[in-house]
Amino acid sequence: METKFIFITGGVVSSLGKGLGSAALGALLQSRGYDVRLCKLDPYLNVDPGTMSPFQHGEVFVTDDGAETDLDLGHYERFTGKPATQSDNVTTGRIYTEVLAKERRGDYLGATVQVIPHVTDEIKDFIREKDGTADFVLCEIGGTVGDIESLPFIEALRQFGNEMGRERALFLHVTLLPYIPAAGELKTKPTQHSVKELMGMGIRPRILLCRADREVPEEELKKIALFCNIDEEKVIPALDASSIYEVPLTYHKVGLDTQVLDAFGMTDAPAPDLEKWEKIVRRINNPESEVTIAVVGKYTNLNDSYKSLNEALTHGGIANKVKVHIKFVEASLFDSSNDDIAHALDGVNGILVPGAFGNRGAAGMIKAIKYAREKKIPYFGICFGMQMAIVEAARNLCGIENATSSEFTDEGEHIVGLMTEWVKDNAKETRGNDDDLGGTMRLGAFPAALAIGSKVAEIYGSEEILERHRHRYEVNINYKDKLEEVGLMMSGTSPDGTLPEICERQDHPWFIGVQYHPELKSKPFDPHPLFVSFIKAAIEQGRLV
Ligand code: GLN
């Protein structure tokens, strides 16, 4: 079938769950047997989100091919099971970089380079290159309609929509119906204004997904349809769901996928098979018990900064039929040498130190790791969490008191140091101290070889794995023997044996550190084996206390 394009815009406010809505719609179309592809257009000027603070923008999602992308791509992967790639995410910064490179090369043959047509053409090219790659291409536009930044994108989509025609391009607008307690009503005016804004830019949405925190009265939906010039059945109320994995089911119930297909005139589409979603939701709603995992991190006051991690822990819970409570512990509160972290970790069934950058919080994390090691509480260290587990062992068990990472200081003994070269796709990549920060880490999927007989080899059921990386520093392999003497085994390395990838303790119920980000590959239907095993160990720990 000819590829059909669905463009998802947002109005009224940000954080409406556009990404989740797009992912859910993708899953629904997939459940009817269609091949889908999801991509995201981000209007900010950063070339990619790699240099953005997790406090501002949430997690950076890394793809197999090494792109640092928006966290919505994580939703897309988790909902459709399809690995995202570099070519699924673009920003204004990247578009301009391309346009300016072309201008310098002289590709525009002396033309005055302008937003229309040069920037808009570049955006259209990004979308058009997806033609033929799937039955449906869903394209989410970041930000809120009316933002200055998104104007070139909206204009490009208007042109693209005209070129494709109604049979192949559809605009779906997500809005909010706020509830005003004093009036006791859900208000439709912001939605009307937002649609008007979009129409003023030449785009007529044919489907409206109206987010609301309560039932939307029929007459309000009719009113929106009338004022916004949209078919009544295509004004769809979208209520909050109890879990994100319930969203495909709730959106199906209100007719989202049916109306999308109807808009394309696809009235004889196959019925959806939603069995796997029903099963997941049943499991989530009926846990047999519960565990509490402490996540000792430094971006703990923004939930989105650990998006994939939170989901991967949930997946581990689904696989073990338990509810996972996450207790965020702000590591930096325990950095000073007088603070004791024991109180904050009291009663938890597992401790996890996630990825992080910089010194702040490191001392608190090291305390948490020591506590987990000594009290035999399951410990999972991810990236920075592995590096700090190594520093903890070096300091407290090997007696190297000044053991540290060169990320923090030039002084001391650098057990963790700046990586200067590694192999990617058979070619050597080299980095120096003064290189740019953006896009220069060890990024994307790399293979690792696991030691025969190790706990990780047993958990993976394999001795060769492929996992996603995003880091600049690495444990120095020359400390392998010293660390193994104190029980911290290097149970996984890069295939050439030079870069430590995994450490584990065999004298502990569950103590594993990994240099990569397993959370990025976990899916509700295909939970990551390390998370399944970690949660299982946490359940066992819970039985002991
Ligand atoms: N800051 C560390 C490094 O760059 C760890 C990175 C991470 O946890 N993702 O190596």
Side-chain angles (χ1 to χ4, degrees), residues 118-389:
H118 302 99
V119 170
T120 46
D121 277 355
E122 199 64 42
I123 297 170
K124 285 196 288 179
D125 285 350
F126 171 83
I127 301 165
R128 198 174 288 112
E129 73 189 20
K130 274 105 197 140
D131 196 1
T133 61
D135 298 329
F136 288 95
V137 170
L138 282 71
C139 227
E140 178 192 349
I141 295 86
T144 308
V145 164
D147 295 345
I148 289 180
E149 284 88 352
S150 57
L151 289 177
F153 284 99
I154 300 286
E155 169 59 16
L157 298 186
R158 181 192 69 77
Q159 295 175 17
F160 189 84
N162 280 349
E163 288 162 25
M164 286 285 158
R166 286 166 65 91
E167 301 73 33
R168 294 193 58 197
L170 170 73
F171 291 93
L172 188 160
H173 193 50
V174 186
T175 73
L176 175 73
L177 304 180
Y179 180 77
I180 306 296
E185 280 177 356
L186 286 166
K187 290 296 182 188
T188 66
K189 195 73 84 190
T191 295
Q192 295 176 40
H193 277 293
S194 170
V195 172
K196 192 171 156 199
E197 177 104 34
L198 206 49
M199 300 239 248
M201 293 185 282
I203 287 181
R204 193 182 142 210
R206 284 194 282 154
I207 298 195
L208 274 192
L209 196 60
C210 304
R211 296 295 316 275
D213 66 353
R214 62 201 69 212
E215 286 297 324
V216 186
E218 199 58 40
E219 60 271 24
E220 298 302 321
L221 294 171
K222 283 197 171 137
K223 189 161 125 192
I224 298 170
L226 181 68
F227 283 105
C228 297
N229 202 11
I230 290 174
D231 293 346
E232 269 176 32
E233 69 278 15
K234 292 190 171 52
V235 179
I236 301 174
L239 269 48
D240 299 340
S242 65
S243 123
I244 61 168
Y245 300 116
E246 204 169 339
V247 175
L249 297 174
T250 52
Y251 283 11
H252 172 68
K253 267 196 209 118
V254 288
L256 179 62
D257 47 329
T258 312
Q259 292 307 327
V260 164
L261 292 164
D262 185 71
F264 284 120
M266 299 169 71
T267 41
D268 53 357
D273 175 4
L274 297 169
E275 166 83 40
K276 69 173 184 184
W277 292 103
E278 283 156 4
K279 196 171 145 200
I280 296 278
V281 171
R282 256 199 315 276
R283 283 234 180 165
I284 294 176
N285 291 342
N286 301 293
E288 287 172 5
S289 97
E290 51 188 31
V291 292
T292 301
I293 304 296
V295 171
V296 186
K298 59 186 284 188
Y299 315 115
T300 52
N301 51 10
L302 181 72
N303 228 330
D304 268 0
S305 43
Y306 297 116
K307 193 85 224 162
S308 296
L309 180 68
N310 301 345
E311 294 312 318
L313 286 166
T314 303
H315 304 160
I318 294 173
N320 284 289
K321 299 187 182 160
V322 294
K323 169 141 188 65
V324 178
H325 298 283
I326 302 177
K327 178 178 182 183
F328 286 105
V329 177
E330 177 54 45
S332 58
L333 296 178
F334 302 94
D335 274 348
S336 134
S337 53
N338 301 325
D339 298 329
D340 186 6
I341 203 166
H343 186 64
L345 298 176
D346 189 31
V348 304
N349 309 112
I351 296 173
L352 190 151
V353 173
F357 292 83
N359 202 359
R360 190 181 61 84
M365 293 176 193
I366 290 172
K367 282 181 192 165
I369 296 167
K370 182 167 185 276
Y371 181 86
R373 175 173 62 74
E374 290 177 347
K375 302 274 184 224
K376 303 246 187 271
I377 297 169
Y379 174 72
F380 196 177
I382 293 181
C383 205
F384 198 70
M386 171 203 181
Q387 297 174 356
M388 292 308 105

Side-chain angles (χ1 to χ4, degrees), residues 102-124:
K102 284 186 182 168
E103 187 274 333
R104 291 289 82 185
R105 276 201 307 269
D107 290 2
Y108 296 122
L109 302 172
T112 307
V113 181
Q114 294 178 298
V115 172
I116 307 172
H118 302 99
V119 170
T120 46
D121 277 355
E122 199 64 42
I123 297 170
K124 285 196 288 179

Side-chain angles (χ1 to χ4, degrees), residues 4-135:
K4 301 201 185 304
F5 292 86
I6 303 170
F7 298 105
I8 297 120
T9 52
V12 183
V13 292
S14 58
S15 305
L16 280 179
K18 245 184 317 154
L20 212 56
S22 307
L25 177 57
L28 286 173
L29 293 169
Q30 224 181 20
S31 76
R32 292 174 179 262
Y34 296 110
D35 188 19
V36 299
R37 176 160 181 191
L38 286 119
C39 56
K40 173 111 197 251
L41 307 173
D42 276 313
Y44 45 74
L45 278 168
N46 304 59
V47 173
D48 63 39
T51 52
M52 289 165 108
S53 160
F55 284 125
Q56 277 196 25
H57 202 71
E59 156 190 287
V60 175
F61 188 78
V62 182
T63 59
D64 279 333
D65 60 357
E68 296 176 281
T69 69
D70 188 83
L71 57 79
D72 278 323
L73 272 80
H75 287 312
Y76 303 166
E77 264 202 51
R78 285 188 283 276
F79 276 69
T80 65
K82 230 181 163 176
T85 66
Q86 168 87 65
S87 61
D88 293 325
N89 189 200
V90 78
T91 65
T92 298
R94 189 172 294 279
I95 295 283
Y96 271 84
T97 305
E98 290 292 322
V99 169
L100 296 177
K102 284 186 182 168
E103 187 274 333
R104 291 289 82 185
R105 276 201 307 269
D107 290 2
Y108 296 122
L109 302 172
T112 307
V113 181
Q114 294 178 298
V115 172
I116 307 172
H118 302 99
V119 170
T120 46
D121 277 355
E122 199 64 42
I123 297 170
K124 285 196 288 179
D125 285 350
F126 171 83
I127 301 165
R128 198 174 288 112
E129 73 189 20
K130 274 105 197 140
D131 196 1
T133 61
D135 298 329

Side-chain angles (χ1 to χ4, degrees), residues 354-358 382-384 387 407 441 470-474 515 517:
F357 292 83
I382 293 181
C383 205
F384 198 70
Q387 297 174 356
E407 182 172 5
M441 283 188 263
R470 180 173 186 252
H471 58 118
R472 191 168 277 118
Y473 299 85
E474 183 88 37
Q515 185 56 78
H517 290 275

Side-chain angles (χ1 to χ4, degrees), residues 378-434:
Y379 174 72
F380 196 177
I382 293 181
C383 205
F384 198 70
M386 171 203 181
Q387 297 174 356
M388 292 308 105
I390 299 279
V391 171
E392 192 277 325
R395 283 186 195 168
N396 299 330
L397 299 173
C398 302
I400 311 173
E401 274 165 36
N402 63 351
T404 187
S405 164
S406 62
E407 182 172 5
F408 310 150
T409 162
D410 289 339
E411 267 122 57
E413 198 166 327
H414 293 153
I415 313 284
V416 181
L418 182 72
M419 248 185 304
T420 53
E421 55 184 51
W422 59 90
V423 176
K424 172 102 179 146
D425 302 332
N426 292 325
K428 198 179 266 184
E429 294 199 4
T430 321
R431 300 281 187 268
N433 235 333
D434 302 323

